[in-house]
């Protein structure tokens, strides 16, 4: 008895399901197969370079702040050592005499002034000396509620103020540089005609260099303001002497940071 069953033929080589032809992979694999052309190219993570630069900036800022703080601490330590060694004190000033020879108007607003001024400067320090530049002097007439009026100008020559030294400074005060305004001139004329004493303020401005042993400082501004002086204008040829018993002088060192050089 014959077998009528039909057996399908085996698939021909190179045919896949669906009828398409397929190539058998070669062995071993080629480079194209190992590193496919469709593989995305390597890209470094975004922001890595920026993070690196930011870190450098942070380190620079930290070092800068550290150096500044270190310099401040060193300066503070040096200043403390200098202070403990020399114990510097401010000089003091006193108005010892003020005489007015002339204080009158030669025109409606032009004031003629002649004042003799004596000031005592004391240096209380044992190991500190002062070198003063030329001192500018301004004399004001003051009154409560009104602006000060300049009535004289003068100078004191430069001088050296030694350790534990008392120096007498003299100056001749002349007329102010320029005429007074009409309001100030009118008020001053009224005081002079009344023959009453007027309040006077004296301001000294100069620069000083401080010497402490081998330590020297650059020149710094200093202002001395003396108030509590009463004086009347002379009525004849004889000069009038101001009352200075209540005069007080205030010394202001006109700098914020004391720079020390060795």
């Amino acid at each position: 008895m014959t077998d009528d069953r039909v057996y399908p033929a085996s698939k021909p080589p190179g045919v896949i399901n669906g009828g398409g032809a397929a190539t058998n992979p070669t062995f071993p694999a080629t480079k194209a197969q190992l590193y496919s052309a469709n593989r995305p190219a390597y890209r470094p993570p975004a922001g890595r370079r920026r993070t690196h630069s930011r870190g450098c900036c942070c380190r620079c800022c930290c070092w800068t702040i550290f150096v500044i703080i270190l310099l401040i601490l060193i300066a503070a330590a040096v200043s403390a050592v200098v202070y403990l060694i020399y114990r510097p004190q401010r000089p003091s000033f006193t108005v010892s005499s003020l005489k007015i020879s002339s204080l009158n108007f030669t025109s409606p607003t032009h004031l003629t002034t002649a004042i003799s001024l004596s000031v005592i400067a004391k240096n209380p320090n044992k190991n500190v000396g002062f070198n003063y530049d030329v001192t500018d002097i301004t004399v004001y007439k003051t009154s409560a509620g009104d602006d000060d009026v300049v009535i004289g100008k003068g100078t004191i020559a430069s001088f050296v103020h030694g350790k534990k030294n008392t120096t007498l400074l003299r100056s001749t005060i002349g007329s102010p540089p320029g005429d007074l305004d009409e309001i100030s001139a009118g008020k001053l004329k009224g005081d002079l005609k009344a023959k009453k004493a007027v309040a006077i303020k004296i301001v000294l401005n100069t620069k000083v260099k401080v010497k402490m042993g081998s330590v020297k400082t650059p020149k710094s501004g200093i202002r001395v303001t003396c108030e509590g002086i009463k004086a009347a204008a002379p009525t004849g040829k004889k000069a009038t002497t101001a009352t200075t018993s209540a005069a007080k002088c205030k010394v202001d060192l006109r700098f914020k940071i004391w720079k020390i050089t060795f």
Side-chain angles (χ1 to χ4, degrees):
M1 184 176 187
T2 61
D3 188 359
D4 295 333
R5 289 179 296 179
V6 179
Y7 295 91
S10 60
K11 294 179 181 179
V15 178
I16 61 174
N17 293 334
T23 58
N24 294 328
T26 59
F27 187 85
T30 64
K31 291 184 178 181
Q33 291 173 333
L34 292 176
Y35 302 98
S36 175
N38 295 326
R39 185 178 181 179
Y42 172 76
R43 295 180 181 178
R48 178 175 296 179
R49 186 173 300 174
R50 184 180 298 176
T51 303
H52 177 70
S53 61
R54 187 180 300 172
C56 291
C57 292
C58 291
R59 285 194 294 271
C60 290
C61 291
C62 292
W63 274 107
T64 301
I65 294 172
F66 173 76
V67 171
I68 292 174
I69 294 175
L70 182 62
L71 291 176
I72 293 174
L73 292 176
I74 292 174
V78 172
S79 300
V81 171
V82 171
Y83 177 80
L84 292 174
I85 293 175
Y86 296 102
R87 299 282 182 175
Q89 300 179 47
R90 295 183 182 186
S92 63
F93 295 82
T94 306
V95 177
S96 62
S97 174
L98 188 148
K99 295 182 179 181
I100 301 177
S101 301
S102 175
L103 189 64
N104 55 52
F105 285 89
T106 55
S107 74
T109 58
H110 183 73
L111 180 66
T112 301
T113 304
I115 299 175
S116 297
L117 175 67
S118 297
V119 177
I120 297 175
K122 293 183 178 180
N123 179 6
N125 298 280
K126 295 180 180 180
N127 300 304
V128 180
F130 302 97
N131 294 347
Y132 291 91
D133 283 355
V134 175
T135 302
D136 294 324
I137 305 173
T138 306
V139 180
Y140 298 89
K141 177 259 179 184
T142 64
S143 59
D146 289 333
D147 295 334
D148 297 341
V149 179
V150 179
I151 62 174
K153 286 276 191 178
T155 59
I156 296 175
S158 59
F159 68 99
V160 176
H161 208 185
K163 306 168 187 177
K164 297 292 289 183
N165 178 266
T166 299
T167 303
L168 178 61
L169 308 172
R170 291 190 175 95
S171 177
T172 299
I173 308 299
S175 303
D179 295 342
L180 303 180
D181 62 85
E182 293 182 358
I183 297 177
S184 298
K187 291 181 180 180
L188 182 56
K189 285 179 183 178
D191 293 337
L192 296 179
K193 287 182 180 179
K195 298 180 181 180
K196 64 180 181 179
V198 296
I200 289 179
K201 179 175 71 174
I202 301 172
V203 177
L204 292 79
N205 279 299
T206 186
K207 289 186 177 181
V208 60
K209 180 182 292 186
V210 184
K211 184 177 180 182
M212 296 175 284
S214 59
V215 180
K216 295 180 180 180
T217 69
K219 291 181 181 180
S220 301
I222 183 172
R223 172 176 289 180
V224 181
T225 304
C226 301
E227 297 183 274
I229 304 168
K230 294 282 187 177
T235 55
K237 294 182 179 180
K238 186 178 180 180
T240 58
T241 301
T243 303
T244 60
S245 57
K248 292 183 179 180
C249 295
K250 179 183 177 182
V251 180
D252 293 318
L253 299 176
R254 301 177 62 78
F255 56 83
K256 295 181 181 181
I257 300 176
W258 197 317
K259 297 180 181 179
I260 300 177
T261 57
F262 294 88

